[in-house]
Amino acid sequence: MTALWYLLWFLIAVSLLVTVHEFGHYWVARRLGFKVLRFSVGFGKPIFSWRGKRDQIEYWICPIPLGGYVKMLDEREGPVPPQELSRSFTRQHPLKRILVLLAGPGSNFLFAIAALSVILWTSGITRYLPVIGTVLPGSIAARAGIQPGDRVLAINGRPVDSERQVVLRLLDVMSGNGDARLTVQARGSAPRIVNLDVRNPAERRALTGPKDPLHGLGMHFWEPVIPPVLGKVLPGGPAARAGLRAGDRIVAIDGRKMSSFAALVAAVSPNPGKTLAITYRRGARERTVNVTTARVTVAGRVIGRIDAEQPLYFHYPSGMVRTARLGPLGAVRGAVQRIWTLTVLQTRLLWRMVLGRVSIKNIGGPLTIAEDAGQSASAGAGSFTEFLVLISMELGLLNLLPIPVLDGGQIVIQAIEWVKGAPLSERAQIIGQQVGIALLILLMGVAVFNDIVRQFG
């Protein structure tokens, strides 16, 4: 059931974002006078199709929802009636072709900004102050002199005011020269400077893996103790079948007292497929039920689950949380700023990955994306929308890479033609396509390999 759930939301996400991408090409092409022959969502023979009254454009809905395309009139694909030659793709000015090619990735960025604007307008911005909770003995953080209770004020002289900013700045620094100068302050003390100087390139690269850099540095942010109370109980899961409900407080598992939700997870995870005696309190009554845990593979490990989530609402001390409500314009401004920051960072990390400074383990394939889609959908509409924002931004950025079979590569080809004043030779274009296909196959191979390693170890 979990796999089907992940697949469903993966297909929904891919279909939506590819449609947004192709609609950008379609809309700009029509506005600039290109002859559009077909707009297809999905691949294969159409399940539904119709022809528009204006310009007789074919609209297809196809059964394989892993892509889509916009087909334009093109002399390279067959004879073109003389009266339509002026609307052929190859007869348009290179600048117009570049604008059409940019419109696909541009639509993904616009979608990300619009969706994030809605989130910020309805939910505001919540920042958790970056206070260190634990520091592992002997770790890089411990050797630098970071202590539990320290609040991070700045990194390399640039102020930070949230956990998110600290993670992104450290990821940027560790993928660069590895020299992070942190300004920290313990409660009631003066600010002091500590140096996280990671000189070993292999060690720095390890810090850029899928886990956030704090994990490798040996420190974690402070978090409140989450009570052992069930939040959402998934229908049909082990907890639901045993009669457990949202709001039930777990008192003990196999006689072991539960003091936090983390303790609950620690008691369930090592016991896949086993029957546990769970004592819970509902109102004034305590009961014990037997729950047989589900077997779930996560990051290559088989763990136990009862398919119940932690409570949505748990309290941080008021002094550690900053919440700002935004109007419509403020939400758009905040969304643009965040998407720009993430895009610049992602671009920098991609280049550093090419240079070997960033771990290629970050490249996720369809299994990772499907898992993220399903988990975010389970967490609610807001979480799934945030997932769409991130994937749409990454899809836009990926398509701008200068690989010939992608929009970015085609933009480079059109720019060369514009400067040269003549099309590239057919041989050059064929070689470019072959190189582009080879690079994409290599990229997909790495992504699928990473998926397999994460799932099966």
Side-chain angles (χ1 to χ4, degrees), residues 21-56:
H21 182 93
E22 296 302 330
F23 181 78
H25 291 312
Y26 163 85
W27 190 85
V28 172
R30 294 197 65 187
R31 294 303 177 277
L32 294 179
F34 290 72
K35 172 75 172 179
V36 176
L37 301 177
R38 183 183 303 145
F39 181 10
S40 175
V41 177
F43 295 124
K45 293 184 179 180
I47 302 173
F48 304 105
S49 64
W50 64 97
R51 192 178 292 274
K53 293 181 180 179
R54 182 183 173 188
D55 233 4
Q56 296 294 295

Side-chain angles (χ1 to χ4, degrees), residues 304-388:
R305 278 188 179 170
I306 61 172
D307 286 347
E309 299 173 359
Q310 70 182 34
L312 291 177
Y313 302 103
F314 48 89
H315 298 291
Y316 274 76
S318 58
M320 289 191 62
V321 183
R322 300 285 187 271
T323 302
R325 308 300 299 183
L326 300 175
L329 292 179
V332 172
R333 187 163 50 248
V336 170
Q337 184 178 23
R338 184 174 297 183
I339 295 298
W340 172 256
T341 300
L342 288 175
T343 301
V344 170
L345 178 59
Q346 288 274 29
T347 304
R348 196 177 292 146
L349 292 177
L350 278 172
W351 176 242
R352 290 173 180 171
M353 190 178 294
V354 173
L355 297 177
R357 297 179 185 173
V358 173
S359 173
I360 61 173
K361 293 179 181 179
N362 288 291
I363 301 175
L367 292 179
T368 298
I369 297 172
E371 189 173 335
D372 290 345
Q375 290 177 352
S376 63
S378 297
S383 180
F384 185 65
T385 304
E386 290 181 4
F387 165 78
L388 289 177

Side-chain angles (χ1 to χ4, degrees), residues 199-281:
R199 296 183 181 276
N200 188 309
E203 196 172 22
R204 288 203 304 270
R205 188 164 52 251
L207 292 173
T208 64
K211 292 184 179 180
D212 72 60
L214 268 74
H215 181 85
L217 291 169
M219 58 182 175
H220 303 279
F221 291 124
W222 182 90
E223 292 181 347
V225 175
I226 302 172
V229 175
L230 302 185
K232 182 179 179 181
V233 176
L234 302 184
R241 291 197 301 270
L244 295 172
R245 302 177 190 169
D248 288 345
R249 186 180 188 93
I250 307 303
V251 177
I253 296 180
D254 284 347
R256 182 173 146 203
K257 297 293 183 182
M258 294 292 106
S259 59
S260 66
F261 198 88
L264 187 159
V265 172
V268 171
S269 293
N271 295 293
K274 295 184 179 179
T275 300
L276 305 175
I278 297 183
T279 303
Y280 68 96
R281 182 181 300 124

Side-chain angles (χ1 to χ4, degrees), residues 11 51 73-74 101 120 235 243 280 292 316 321-322 332 379 418:
L11 294 178
R51 192 178 292 274
L73 189 67
D74 195 323
L101 291 165
L120 296 181
Y280 68 96
T292 302
Y316 274 76
V321 183
R322 300 285 187 271
V332 172
W418 190 2

Side-chain angles (χ1 to χ4, degrees), residues 31-215:
R31 294 303 177 277
L32 294 179
F34 290 72
K35 172 75 172 179
V36 176
L37 301 177
R38 183 183 303 145
F39 181 10
S40 175
V41 177
F43 295 124
K45 293 184 179 180
I47 302 173
F48 304 105
S49 64
W50 64 97
R51 192 178 292 274
K53 293 181 180 179
R54 182 183 173 188
D55 233 4
Q56 296 294 295
I57 300 173
E58 292 180 326
Y59 298 94
W60 285 11
I61 306 293
C62 299
I64 306 175
L66 296 176
Y69 62 92
V70 174
K71 184 177 181 181
M72 301 181 204
L73 189 67
D74 195 323
E75 296 169 77
R76 296 167 296 184
E77 297 181 2
V80 174
Q83 66 274 18
E84 297 282 12
L85 276 174
S86 63
R87 302 183 65 193
S88 170
F89 183 86
T90 53
R91 295 296 179 100
Q92 303 295 322
H93 190 279
L95 177 58
K96 285 188 176 182
R97 289 182 239 160
I98 290 172
L99 291 175
V100 170
L101 291 165
L102 281 171
S107 293
N108 287 122
F109 284 112
L110 287 175
F111 174 87
I113 290 170
L116 184 56
S117 297
V118 172
I119 293 173
L120 296 181
W121 186 20
T122 55
S123 303
I125 297 178
T126 300
R127 297 186 178 94
Y128 297 98
L129 297 188
V131 176
I132 303 302
T134 57
V135 179
L136 300 181
S139 64
I140 297 171
R143 293 197 300 270
I146 295 177
Q147 301 172 2
D150 283 344
R151 175 182 168 184
V152 183
L153 303 176
I155 298 177
N156 289 343
R158 296 174 62 191
V160 290
D161 63 0
S162 68
E163 293 178 354
R164 177 176 168 275
Q165 279 190 340
V166 170
V167 170
L168 294 181
R169 295 269 175 85
L170 285 177
L171 182 58
D172 190 16
V173 173
M174 292 305 154
S175 64
N177 60 15
D179 185 9
R181 191 177 72 259
L182 274 62
T183 305
V184 299
Q185 182 177 24
R187 184 185 294 272
S189 302
R192 68 184 195 281
I193 293 177
V194 297
N195 289 302
L196 294 172
D197 190 1
V198 185
R199 296 183 181 276
N200 188 309
E203 196 172 22
R204 288 203 304 270
R205 188 164 52 251
L207 292 173
T208 64
K211 292 184 179 180
D212 72 60
L214 268 74
H215 181 85

